[in-house]
Amino acid sequence: MSQRLFSRALWTQNISRSYFWTSRSNTTSAFKPYYSRDFRGAFFVASAAFLVAGSLKLREVIANDSPDVTNLNEETTNDALLTPPNLSGVVLDDEHLTAFAWGSNKTNLISPDTPKLDAVRSPVNVPWLTDIALKDLGLHGEHGACVDARGDVYIWGDKFHDAESELTNRTVPKLALRGKDITSVQLSDARLFALSSSGKVFQLNLEDFSTQSTTSSPWSPTSWFWDNDRSVPFIELRTEEKLPRNDRFISISAGNDHLLALTASGRTFAHPINRKANAFGQLGFRKLDMSDPSSPGTTKSVELTPKSVVDPYAKASPFNRTPALPDLWSKVTPTNSGSADRPPEWKVSDQTSEFDDSFGFCDRLYEIPSLKGIRVAQAIAGGRSSFVRTVEGGRVLAWGANEYGQLGLGATMTIDTITVPTEVVLNRTSPSATRSRCINISTGGDLTFFMVERKDGTAMTSIDLLSCGMGQWGGLGNGLYSTAQGSPVRVKAVSGLLEYSEETKNLQPIIPHAISVSPTGHVLLTLDTLSRAGGGSGGQGRDLLAWGLNRTYQLGNGKRASLATPANLELPGEGGRLMMVQRTAREVKDLGGKVWRKNVKVEQCAVAGHEASLVYWRIC
């Protein structure tokens, strides 16, 4: 636009282009005679020079792939925020550990230094994670949490920063849990769950934590007795029956309203986060005994009834049927038996006041009755569903919400709620002589992936990735945009891949190293192209692929078009594939800024959060 204005100005004043460049090369000799002939001529030439300078400056900003967004004007328009500049601030340093992120930044989760930027198109560095290696990291809609090398839990997000520290400590996460040697964290809307190395599960109420006035500085005087500070809301989730001495919890997985926990012996436990924890039967049981908030030290029996049981005709014709109940925790009793002309009347007494939705809603883990006696190797929670993988045979059991086919029970299964663990058949599309065994389950929101090992009796083994559920934005990865997919379909781009192994001197299957599924519809997959790469293969890391929803640039390709097939991520500006590498770090620091240990083996790990993605260094 500036170039057009400049050309138009030259044409209006009858100034030739050749004369202009001559005057620019020799300013003194060119301007002097022109000024003597006409005073207005000098004014027009100066105006033209000013326009050229502005045009060159604008072209410099447009051509630059890494503008300084920290100097954005406060009067930036909303249109500029919706279409942010194409950032490429990734610095790959061999001496230091650098993390990078991309996607939605509305809550300043991935780039707190640029609060005026709603979205980051391409990967940019995360400064506060420099030389930091973590044990685990999770991203939610408005907050994030991580576990540093010392096992301390930190959280960040706009709601955890008050007005005084908004500008000075925006990029500094707040210490949430210290001294428990945490290994993994899980996030929900208002809760944070942490698993310690000793097998204990802790629960933190983020709503209470966001309103407290405790400082986040690790050098504060109270940090030495942080665990004794009563303003820090956390409790330990215990089981009804004490676990055997040689048994402990080894993994946790949180959905929208429920939590699944697995012990070393293969026992599966569930925890209700709030009143909606069993709205779709995802807990696997209805009745439970929980602490009575009105009478400390006592328990009361509570029944969490799924919606499909409370109101089985909710999606049917409303004629001559009981109206939907206002709350799942309401006690409903019929006042009369009804007749052919008049439906029965119901008396609804709200009992929600008896249960406190604050921090102490429930403090227990309950073993799922139908899974007693079944050794489970993996227990994972979707948004409103649950999955387990058995040790014997690698079978998959699923239950919970199924309106998009996310349980993978088949196209003929039209029931939208499954309250009993049901087996998922994974060999429908394979020959009858092929043996199938699930080796991993990954889920997020209403999207599910099964990693299946296929054996046909020969020495060659193949690995298939099957997907099901909500694929409206291409999250299934099969090239189609399907709203519902009940039968698990094969993701062809990453299934049945083979590579030559220098160690075995033959072809070996390429196994997905890690899969991260966002609750909002995009997927990040890391292929294990590093473990078998020999010295002459040129392998430098693991390929990172992305597909699915891309409305807020969460795929990191600089575009907003969703992808229905996996695609490699490329390095911004430099080109080439973005690889997840493994190396030995010279030194690793904790989030307090102190050196934790030197010569630590670390690897890059990709996390798909709510409309955002982040790559960090994880301790191996």
Side-chain angles (χ1 to χ4, degrees):
M1 185 64 183
S2 298
Q3 292 180 354
R4 181 181 297 178
L5 292 174
F6 170 59
S7 301
R8 190 173 182 180
L10 293 182
W11 177 81
T12 304
Q13 303 301 330
N14 294 322
I15 301 175
S16 63
R17 185 178 298 273
S18 60
Y19 180 79
F20 172 73
W21 289 114
T22 303
S23 65
R24 186 179 181 184
S25 61
N26 191 358
T27 307
T28 304
S29 61
F31 278 155
K32 193 171 184 177
Y34 197 78
Y35 179 79
S36 63
R37 290 196 301 268
D38 192 352
F39 176 79
R40 292 177 299 176
F43 173 76
F44 292 141
V45 172
S47 301
F50 177 77
L51 291 174
V52 170
S55 175
L56 294 177
K57 181 63 177 176
L58 181 60
R59 291 181 60 189
E60 179 183 356
V61 174
I62 293 176
N64 188 8
D65 289 335
S66 182
D68 186 7
V69 295
T70 59
N71 295 328
L72 289 176
N73 195 335
E74 293 293 333
E75 298 178 357
T76 306
T77 61
N78 292 332
D79 294 338
L81 296 181
L82 295 177
T83 308
N86 187 16
L87 303 178
S88 61
V90 174
V91 178
L92 302 178
D93 194 347
D94 294 335
E95 296 294 331
H96 301 278
L97 301 178
T98 56
F100 46 92
W102 61 92
S104 174
N105 193 46
K106 293 181 180 179
T107 55
N108 301 315
L109 279 182
I110 62 173
S111 185
D113 292 332
T114 57
K116 290 293 182 181
L117 202 60
D118 281 354
V120 179
R121 291 186 179 184
S122 301
V124 295
N125 280 110
V126 183
W128 60 272
L129 282 176
T130 302
D131 288 332
I132 302 294
L134 306 173
K135 293 183 178 181
D136 196 14
L137 182 144
L139 292 176
H140 204 65
E142 298 182 355
H143 52 271
C146 63
V147 184
D148 70 351
R150 299 189 187 275
D152 299 333
V153 179
Y154 289 79
I155 57 177
W156 71 95
D158 280 355
K159 65 180 181 180
F160 301 125
H161 297 278
D162 51 23
E164 297 179 357
S165 62
E166 183 176 359
L167 297 178
T168 58
N169 295 330
R170 177 179 289 274
T171 61
V172 180
K174 298 184 69 173
L175 181 63
L177 187 61
R178 181 177 181 176
K180 300 298 182 182
D181 194 13
I182 303 300
T183 58
S184 64
V185 291
Q186 291 288 309
L187 292 171
S188 66
D189 290 338
R191 299 289 190 272
L192 183 148
F193 299 93
L195 176 66
S196 67
S197 60
S198 60
K200 296 181 180 180
V201 181
F202 299 96
Q203 173 182 304
L204 291 82
N205 185 4
L206 299 179
E207 296 295 335
D208 292 346
F209 188 81
S210 62
T211 59
Q212 64 174 327
S213 59
T214 55
T215 179
S216 63
S217 175
W219 294 283
S220 63
T222 59
S223 64
W224 297 102
F225 48 91
W226 185 275
D227 294 334
N228 296 327
D229 191 348
R230 295 182 180 180
S231 63
V232 180
F234 76 90
I235 59 173
E236 179 184 353
L237 299 181
R238 302 180 181 272
T239 58
E240 289 187 299
E241 299 179 359
K242 191 175 181 180
L243 294 177
R245 196 168 187 178
N246 58 348
D247 200 7
R248 61 185 179 88
F249 288 102
I250 58 175
S251 69
I252 56 175
S253 179
N256 296 341
D257 307 299
H258 74 296
L259 175 81
L260 294 182
L262 181 67
T263 67
S265 62
R267 299 171 62 182
T268 309
F269 289 77
H271 167 76
I273 299 178
N274 52 38
R275 296 185 179 96
K276 302 177 182 178
N278 202 39
F280 298 91
Q282 60 265 45
L283 280 180
F285 53 87
R286 300 183 192 176
K287 295 183 178 181
L288 60 151
D289 294 331
M290 59 181 294
S291 301
D292 188 356
S294 61
S295 178
T298 62
T299 60
K300 65 188 312 179
S301 180
V302 177
E303 183 172 355
L304 299 178
T305 308
K307 288 182 179 180
S308 60
V309 177
V310 174
D311 194 4
Y313 303 102
K315 297 184 178 180
S317 173
F319 175 73
N320 197 16
R321 57 176 290 271
T322 305
L325 300 181
D327 195 291
L328 292 178
W329 284 60
S330 300
K331 185 177 181 181
V332 184
T333 56
T335 57
N336 58 18
S337 59
S339 61
D341 298 330
R342 181 183 179 185
E345 296 179 358
W346 298 79
K347 178 182 179 182
V348 180
S349 58
D350 190 8
Q351 294 185 353
T352 57
S353 58
E354 298 182 11
F355 302 96
D356 188 8
D357 241 354
S358 63
F359 175 66
F361 171 74
C362 185
D363 59 351
R364 295 187 182 183
L365 289 161
Y366 305 90
E367 187 172 8
I368 300 178
S370 57
L371 296 180
K372 289 184 178 180
I374 299 177
R375 291 185 59 198
V376 174
Q378 183 184 10
I380 186 168
R384 300 166 299 147
S385 54
S386 302
F387 301 86
V388 295
R389 175 171 57 88
T390 64
V391 175
E392 292 81 8
R395 296 183 176 183
V396 177
L397 301 176
W399 65 98
N402 191 47
E403 64 268 48
Y404 301 108
Q406 59 264 44
L407 298 184
L409 300 179
T412 58
M413 181 63 71
T414 58
I415 303 176
D416 59 358
T417 300
I418 305 297
T419 59
V420 179
T422 306
E423 183 175 359
V424 180
V425 181
L426 300 174
N427 58 354
R428 285 194 175 99
T429 58
S430 61
S432 58
T434 303
R435 293 182 300 171
S436 301
R437 182 176 67 92
C438 182
I439 58 178
N440 187 41
I441 307 173
S442 300
T443 181
D446 297 323
L447 199 58
T448 309
F449 290 88
F450 305 101
M451 193 185 307
V452 182
E453 180 186 69
R454 311 280 197 188
K455 292 184 178 181
D456 57 359
T458 64
M460 187 65 66
T461 301
S462 62
I463 303 296
D464 286 348
L465 184 65
L466 307 181
S467 62
C468 60
M470 178 62 168
Q472 182 178 357
W473 299 285
L476 294 173
N478 62 340
L480 301 177
Y481 296 89
S482 304
T483 304
Q485 180 65 44
S487 297
V489 294
R490 190 168 178 259
V491 185
K492 296 181 180 180
V494 291
S495 297
L497 301 180
L498 300 173
E499 65 177 352
Y500 182 80
S501 174
E502 293 286 349
E503 182 179 355
T504 60
K505 305 299 180 182
N506 60 3
L507 293 176
Q508 296 292 330
I510 300 178
I511 303 175
H513 177 72
I515 306 175
S516 182
V517 186
S518 168
T520 55
H522 77 282
V523 185
L524 297 179
L525 181 142
T526 307
L527 283 177
D528 191 8
T529 54
L530 181 64
S531 60
R532 298 190 180 94
S537 63
Q540 297 295 326
R542 302 184 176 99
D543 288 280
L544 181 62
L545 296 89
W547 69 92
L549 182 66
N550 196 27
R551 185 179 302 161
T552 56
Y553 308 98
Q554 55 261 53
L555 297 186
N557 56 8
K559 304 176 182 179
R560 296 188 67 181
S562 299
L563 296 178
T565 55
N568 288 91
L569 268 72
E570 296 184 356
L571 288 172
E574 301 180 4
R577 294 177 298 176
L578 182 61
M579 311 290 285
M580 301 289 99
V581 300
Q582 189 179 63
R583 56 186 267 197
T584 300
R586 184 179 58 182
E587 65 178 21
V588 171
K589 297 180 180 180
D590 58 15
L591 284 175
K594 298 181 180 180
V595 177
W596 172 67
R597 193 173 296 172
K598 295 184 178 181
N599 298 325
V600 182
K601 190 175 182 180
V602 295
E603 65 178 3
Q604 286 181 309
C605 180
V607 176
H610 286 63
E611 299 182 346
S613 305
L614 190 145
V615 175
Y616 70 97
W617 290 93
R618 183 173 61 185
I619 302 175
C620 296

